[in-house]
Amino acid sequence: MEYSAAFKKLVVEKFNQVEKDTAMAVQYVGQDDFRNIVTTAQQDMLAFSKYIEVTFEFFSTHKYSKIALISIEDPERARILEILQSLMQDALAIMEQYAKCLDETEESNIVDSLHIIKDKAGVISLKIRFDVPAPPMETIVDASLLEICKNMVKLTAISKDYYTLNKMWHFSVRKIYPRIELSDTAIVIQGPVLYEGDFTLETLLYYRMLYPVTTIILSTWAGEVTTELRYMVEAAGIVVLENEKPEITGKTNVKLQAFSSLKGIELAERDKNIKYVLKTRTDQRFFLPDFLNYMRNMMSLYPVRRKELEGRIEFLGGYSSLLTYPFRLTDFMTFGTVGDIKMFYSCSCEDERLENTYRDEKTTEYQYDRVFRLTPRDDVFSALGYTKDERLALCQKIGPYKDPESYLAGSFYERVILGRIIEQSDDELMHYWEFLKNAAIIIDPLQLMFYWKKYDNEYMTNNPLIADGGLTNSTWLQIYLHEFEE
């Protein structure tokens, strides 16, 4: 096979198998099967080494890739070859430790060797993914990127709309990624592990490569994490937190989400040096390399205007974040100070308004009809011109019930800022806009190169920057600068 992203994926898979073998060996120390498992690990490591040799040969003999996405000038070539040589040396060092495991009789010495292997494995797993570039494949069997683009041209000609492809570099690494040292920030990735395509694993390793000293916590449920996954992420210095599910989970998934998020945040909070925390999900990824720096910079640019908070809270715009549906902010991401984000997820999730949303199907149907069909007709300029009576009438149509997204943000506002439950006579939409203006920041998905491996979003998304009724960074800035009447 010609060297490409697909070949590089095979290299990664080969080393993943080595790590899985070693994880099993750790479990079988002192047992009869231990020697067989270590021998298998040696064989898999040898196969991995041969793949590295093929990669080394490619970069030794090729001046550039076919599609010129990788510049292999002499300094760059020397850097890549040096990395590949170090990978071969690391592989050799691991092979030596495997040999020690087979020769040793003292169990403590065997355990020491396995620890050395794990430390080196964590280094190798990042190097092979992110330090060795690989060109993407343009044609695989019948699938041709060129043919897809030709069909998009035809579609554009017929529909008169324009279409583009949005590349997300994964195994096709084109440039050297930055290593950004942020020791006062934590990332909490919450939710069930997505094993398809090793998505959660690859996300965790990507974040670790970008932020080598940042605390990264996978907060999930007991039984979700396999022995192999735990070994691979811990080898890269990532913390695994398996939580027991609450006995009472409530009518929606919001209680589970809040619970596992809070547990991860509380774990991060134990490190007194950590000031900021990002809560994100196991089925989503930010491809922007400096995404944490971007979020921190936004905090500096827009100081909070509420004494109850240490800083603003950042949310992801687009998708289900809406302008005229009170507190309808996507639950994908929150970023802020540890104390503020902890308060955000410290909700009871036992609000009657939340449960009624799911008990009353007619109410639910009407709410979503309002959200996804009527609300998109409202733009920020006309919405900010609504009278109080018009705002009250709109909220009355939506009703008092809360879906998970609006419950999390709305209950936070009630508990922390307002100090009471919003009543039907309140101007709830104005409360929402005041919250956005003084205590929140909205970031667009495209600004973070956001990727969601769910539904059709895996391959195509409607442009989340279109502001028709959606809450985007652009509409948020209009609210931020708008002078509301007292």
Side-chain angles (χ1 to χ4, degrees):
M1 179 185 291
E2 182 180 355
Y3 183 76
S4 64
F7 182 87
K8 181 178 175 180
K9 182 175 182 292
L10 290 177
V11 180
V12 171
E13 288 175 349
K14 283 294 180 184
F15 191 72
N16 284 353
Q17 187 57 53
V18 171
E19 289 197 280
K20 290 176 182 178
D21 294 338
T22 313
M24 186 176 295
V26 172
Q27 289 183 289
Y28 281 84
V29 172
Q31 299 184 39
D32 294 338
D33 290 338
F34 177 74
R35 292 182 63 84
N36 291 335
I37 295 169
V38 173
T39 301
T40 300
Q42 286 179 313
Q43 294 170 348
D44 287 330
M45 176 58 84
L46 185 61
F48 166 75
S49 299
K50 290 180 179 178
Y51 273 87
I52 294 298
E53 289 175 5
V54 172
T55 306
F56 187 90
E57 182 181 355
F58 170 84
F59 283 104
S60 298
T61 57
H62 289 69
K63 293 183 178 180
Y64 51 82
S65 70
K66 282 186 176 180
I67 56 175
L69 277 175
I70 300 174
S71 172
I72 311 184
E73 300 297 332
D74 287 341
E76 179 65 5
R77 182 198 303 274
R79 183 195 72 82
I80 296 169
L81 292 176
E82 184 179 346
I83 290 168
L84 290 168
Q85 284 176 328
S86 72
L87 283 170
M88 287 188 281
Q89 290 170 356
D90 289 338
L92 180 60
I94 288 180
M95 290 289 282
E96 291 174 352
Q97 295 301 322
Y98 284 144
K100 286 185 178 180
C101 286
L102 295 176
D103 293 339
E104 285 284 354
T105 55
E106 288 291 331
E107 190 171 306
S108 61
N109 292 335
I110 292 174
V111 171
D112 288 342
S113 289
L114 291 173
H115 279 308
I116 293 172
I117 292 171
K118 187 173 185 178
D119 290 340
K120 288 189 175 296
V123 174
I124 292 176
S125 68
L126 296 180
K127 279 185 179 180
I128 59 175
R129 286 171 167 86
F130 307 112
D131 284 336
V132 182
M137 299 189 74
E138 286 196 313
T139 303
I140 304 174
V141 191
D142 304 352
S144 166
L145 188 60
L146 181 60
E147 289 301 316
I148 292 172
C149 290
K150 286 180 179 179
N151 287 329
M152 290 172 67
V153 171
K154 295 177 184 176
L155 182 61
T156 296
I158 296 171
S159 68
K160 303 304 178 184
D161 286 330
Y162 296 103
Y163 296 84
T164 61
L165 284 174
N166 187 17
K167 293 180 181 178
M168 294 291 190
W169 301 101
H170 182 50
F171 286 109
S172 305
V173 178
R174 179 180 177 182
K175 297 291 185 181
I176 305 170
Y177 285 104
R179 267 62 166 177
I180 306 167
E181 295 198 1
L182 287 180
S183 59
D184 67 347
T185 304
I187 302 174
V188 174
I189 303 179
Q190 164 271 332
V193 175
L194 181 54
Y195 283 97
E196 181 186 355
D198 288 332
F199 187 82
T200 299
L201 167 66
E202 294 294 338
T203 300
L204 289 164
L205 295 178
Y206 180 62
Y207 293 168
R208 168 51 71 225
M209 181 276 301
L210 294 173
Y211 296 98
V213 299
T214 294
T215 297
I216 302 176
I217 299 170
L218 170 62
S219 183
T220 187
W221 302 112
E224 275 286 327
V225 181
T226 63
T227 301
E228 293 84 0
L229 177 69
R230 178 182 287 276
Y231 180 91
M232 294 164 78
V233 298
E234 287 183 347
I238 293 161
V239 179
V240 177
L241 176 62
E242 290 188 271
N243 305 288
E244 294 292 339
K245 284 188 178 180
E247 291 184 7
I248 301 175
T249 59
K251 294 285 184 180
T252 75
N253 68 341
V254 69
K255 186 164 188 173
L256 297 179
Q257 179 186 168
F259 182 85
S260 58
S261 297
L262 184 60
K263 291 299 180 183
I265 294 161
E266 288 175 340
L267 180 58
E269 189 183 33
R270 294 180 189 177
D271 183 345
K272 299 306 178 184
N273 293 320
I274 291 177
K275 182 178 180 181
Y276 300 102
V277 63
L278 165 67
K279 198 291 296 187
T280 181
R281 286 178 24 170
T282 51
D283 60 348
Q284 298 173 340
R285 187 182 304 168
F286 302 115
F287 276 91
L288 181 72
D290 56 341
F291 64 93
L292 284 182
N293 299 71
Y294 182 91
M295 294 175 189
R296 286 161 55 97
N297 291 340
M298 292 293 278
M299 296 279 284
S300 299
L301 285 172
Y302 300 100
V304 67
R305 295 172 178 170
R306 295 296 315 193
K307 64 180 183 346
E308 299 89 353
L309 302 178
E310 298 176 286
R312 289 178 179 263
I313 296 181
E314 299 179 21
F315 301 92
L316 202 68
Y319 294 97
S320 299
S321 291
L322 296 167
L323 173 66
T324 54
Y325 187 108
F327 298 97
R328 190 60 156 72
L329 297 166
T330 93
D331 56 355
F332 297 167
M333 174 205 96
T334 46
F335 179 85
T337 68
V338 174
D340 290 344
I341 301 301
K342 180 180 178 180
M343 286 192 295
F344 188 86
Y345 290 102
S346 296
C347 45
S348 68
C349 302
E350 295 175 356
D351 194 306
E352 185 178 340
R353 295 170 297 175
L354 176 67
E355 295 188 350
N356 277 344
T357 303
Y358 286 79
R359 283 202 301 261
D360 185 345
E361 292 182 3
K362 290 184 178 180
T363 300
T364 303
E365 183 180 349
Y366 185 85
Q367 278 186 290
Y368 277 79
D369 184 74
R370 177 66 202 170
V371 172
F372 296 113
R373 293 180 186 161
L374 298 182
T375 302
R377 298 176 187 173
D378 301 321
D379 63 86
V380 65
F381 303 102
S382 62
L384 292 177
Y386 288 171
T387 65
K388 181 178 180 180
D389 287 343
E390 287 174 320
R391 292 194 298 269
L392 289 172
L394 174 60
C395 291
Q396 187 175 10
K397 287 182 179 180
I398 294 173
Y401 307 119
K402 303 289 184 182
D403 54 19
E405 292 85 351
S406 60
Y407 169 74
L408 282 170
S411 66
F412 171 76
Y413 175 79
E414 291 173 333
R415 288 181 289 108
V416 177
I417 295 177
L418 187 61
R420 63 175 178 84
I421 298 295
I422 292 176
E423 298 177 357
Q424 193 170 356
S425 59
D426 282 317
D427 189 346
E428 187 174 11
L429 193 54
M430 184 56 70
H431 279 293
Y432 177 40
W433 290 345
E434 289 283 0
F435 171 70
L436 293 174
K437 178 181 176 68
N438 298 315
I441 296 173
I442 302 300
I443 302 179
D444 290 320
L446 291 183
Q447 291 173 302
L448 296 171
M449 296 178 67
F450 173 77
Y451 181 78
W452 186 14
K453 193 172 176 62
K454 191 174 182 179
Y455 308 130
D456 292 335
N457 298 286
E458 187 172 349
Y459 302 107
M460 182 184 75
T461 61
N462 291 321
N463 193 326
L465 299 184
I466 295 173
D468 294 339
L471 184 61
T472 65
N473 180 260
S474 176
T475 54
W476 172 74
L477 282 173
Q478 292 293 336
I479 294 172
Y480 175 80
L481 295 172
H482 187 77
E483 293 298 329
F484 293 98
E485 296 181 3
E486 296 294 335

